[in-house]
Amino acid sequence: MENLKVIDLFCGAGGASTGLIRAGYDVVGAVDAYQEALDTYRKNLCEGDLTNEFPGSVTFDKPLRADLSQGYDDSGKGENLPEITFEDIRENFELEEGEVDVICGCPPCQNFSSLRDTEPWPDGKPKDGLLRAFVDFIREEVPDVVLFENVSNILNAGEEVPSTYVDWFIRQMKNITRPSDSPQEGGYGYTFKVVNAADYGVPQRRRRTIGIFIYGAEDEEVTIPAPTHARDPEEDSDREPWVEVQDRIFREDLKTDLDLGQKQTGIDGYPDDPAHRSRRHHDSTIEMIEAIREHGGSWKDLRGTNDKDLIKECHQDLSSGARSAYGIMAKDEPAPTLTTRCANVSSGRFTHPTENRAITFREAALLMGFPRDYKLPSVNEHAERVVGNAVPPLLIKKAAEHARSDLQQVKKKEITEAA
Ligand SMILES: C[S@@+](CC[C@H](N)C(=O)[O-])C[C@H]1O[C@@H](n2cnc3c(N)ncnc32)[C@H](O)[C@@H]1O
């Protein structure tokens, strides 16, 4: 079978695309609105030699910067970016109609981020315009496969919210039919599941919703890949233990005792790595990290100790989401979910396991599963945002391999039935 051709919508800095080329797909187009993420994508996946290591490829010189909201999303991306259709995408990447086998997309659904409140939709309609836009792109091309990734809350935030969002999406996908097919032949078979990236070998607990859709398939023919890892696998299980933080970031080619705020340069035998830099910390922050390390691992462990005065007032309220602020990352577990503030000690359990500093941008990228030499933006905010936003490449690789094998079965069945 030839490599499947995939378009990556909301491609960011290329987490999903990296997984797709590792799975042996050819990425024939990628679109996002965020300039720094697109620059990162281009440097690594269009210009770098990284793709030579993998069975798939990226076939274009640079990803397309455009607004993918199709006018639905009032917030839009501003900046006078063009709103585009799938025809525009084909034109930009010189593709024929019907040439794309797969659309992969992670339309951000900010309404469902676990860091924000959720609420039911008032009139049964998704208020998230980017999902509507995503469905319109699919309707225009009707690829064989659609891969979808999103926050876990779209499936499990509560009774009303998930049924509205996911039901609407599935209903639309069931009704999409190619002009050459009858409604019975058309529509997408699907599966949706919240998975933990750690169960697929990613050194990070990251719960995400994965959706796989295959055109013309029955729902039962579309499946989610079986987990390959577990916290404590049974002896007779074929699952491996979760990959730990130390497996990924305690390595010879990564210095741990950095001068705070300094980048690692000129280590004998290793190339300089500007992404291996940590944010600068105030002395008072370092004092607090030291105390937290001494008393346990979380600011809560300072309560009742002689260091209790170091607790920041804003973190006293346990319900404020600040539970894990300044926490020390355990080295013998997967990392916690990395966010767009994942190199910031005040934003989560993002303190290095053994050093009194935040993890570096390189360490964050490794814990997301990016290749060792993936170039990152030089501005701190952009570096942690593109990493925290990413889909773990290994997770999408496994989903993409699995979807291809399900698609082959569906196609085989169609040929047998037609004979
Ligand atoms: C979850 S991130 C995608 C991560 C990416 N797939 C990866 O694996 O690295 C969502 C992306 O959607 C982009 N985005 C948000 N609204 C957009 C819009 N209206 N048009 C285009 N891109 C948009 C953001 O810039 C962000 O990069």
Side-chain angles (χ1 to χ4, degrees), residues 34 36 163 178 218 235 415:
Y34 176 18
E36 285 73 10
S163 61
R178 291 175 182 151
E218 303 295 332
E235 236 170 60
I415 293 167

Side-chain angles (χ1 to χ4, degrees), residues 144-146 187-190 212-217 221-222 403 406-407 410:
D144 283 343
V145 176
V146 174
Y188 283 86
Y190 77 98
I212 302 177
F213 297 81
I214 298 184
Y215 185 76
E221 292 171 321
V222 189
D406 280 353
L407 175 68
V410 169

Side-chain angles (χ1 to χ4, degrees), residues 129-370:
L130 292 178
L131 181 70
R132 286 171 173 256
F134 185 59
V135 169
D136 282 359
F137 289 120
I138 296 163
R139 203 176 275 120
E140 247 186 290
E141 177 71 1
V142 201
D144 283 343
V145 176
V146 174
L147 297 172
F148 172 86
E149 189 264 5
N150 225 295
V151 291
S152 60
N153 277 2
I154 65 161
L155 274 188
N156 64 6
E159 282 300 305
E160 291 164 85
V161 173
S163 61
T164 313
Y165 186 96
V166 170
D167 287 357
W168 181 87
F169 188 19
I170 292 167
R171 247 190 344 266
Q172 301 305 309
M173 296 295 281
K174 289 274 171 205
N175 286 330
I176 292 177
T177 299
R178 291 175 182 151
S180 55
D181 291 336
S182 67
Q184 290 72 29
E185 291 166 316
Y188 283 86
Y190 77 98
T191 180
F192 254 114
K193 194 166 184 214
V194 174
V195 300
N196 185 349
D199 291 340
Y200 293 86
V202 179
Q204 186 191 149
R205 289 193 184 92
R206 191 174 183 89
R207 286 167 55 73
R208 283 296 187 269
T209 301
I210 295 285
I212 302 177
F213 297 81
I214 298 184
Y215 185 76
E218 303 295 332
D219 291 343
E220 55 275 15
E221 292 171 321
V222 189
T223 53
I224 294 283
T228 48
H229 292 66
R231 181 199 295 262
D232 292 311
E234 309 268 319
E235 236 170 60
D236 55 352
S237 138
D238 52 7
R239 287 166 73 170
E240 291 174 42
W242 276 350
V243 181
E244 301 170 354
V245 166
Q246 60 190 352
D247 300 332
R248 202 71 183 118
I249 69 170
F250 286 19
R251 45 195 293 158
E252 279 186 14
D253 62 351
L254 216 54
K255 192 178 167 187
T256 47
D257 57 338
L258 301 177
D259 292 335
L260 283 182
Q262 301 294 304
K263 63 184 180 182
Q264 166 193 0
T265 53
I267 295 174
D268 280 350
Y270 298 111
D272 293 354
D273 183 354
H276 192 43
R277 64 180 191 277
S278 148
R279 284 179 179 280
R280 287 194 170 81
H281 302 309
H282 288 293
D283 289 347
S284 59
T285 304
I286 295 174
E287 191 190 356
M288 175 155 71
I289 294 175
E290 278 168 354
I292 287 176
R293 199 180 290 286
E294 185 191 330
H295 294 295
S298 150
W299 64 261
K300 284 174 275 171
D301 300 320
L302 301 184
R303 288 182 296 198
T305 73
N306 52 353
D307 287 317
K308 62 180 181 319
D309 294 343
L310 293 173
I311 299 175
K312 294 211 189 278
E313 201 163 312
C314 59
H315 292 138
Q316 303 277 6
D317 175 11
L318 273 177
S319 64
S320 72
R323 235 172 265 263
S324 54
Y326 297 98
I328 312 246
M329 204 179 262
K331 64 177 182 194
D332 54 357
E333 291 177 18
T337 305
L338 298 185
T339 66
T340 53
R341 306 268 295 156
C342 60
N344 216 304
V345 283
S346 62
S347 300
R349 191 169 288 282
F350 302 139
T351 306
H352 188 277
T354 57
E355 305 298 315
N356 292 330
R357 59 165 173 83
I359 54 170
T360 65
F361 304 99
R362 170 62 62 222
E363 287 161 344
L366 287 168
L367 294 172
M368 189 58 81
F370 278 102

Side-chain angles (χ1 to χ4, degrees), residues 10-16 32-34 66-69 77 106 108 130 389-391:
F10 307 96
C11 65
D32 200 286
Y34 176 18
D67 181 352
L68 288 167
S69 70
K77 288 312 280 181
C106 323
L130 292 178
N389 258 340
V391 183

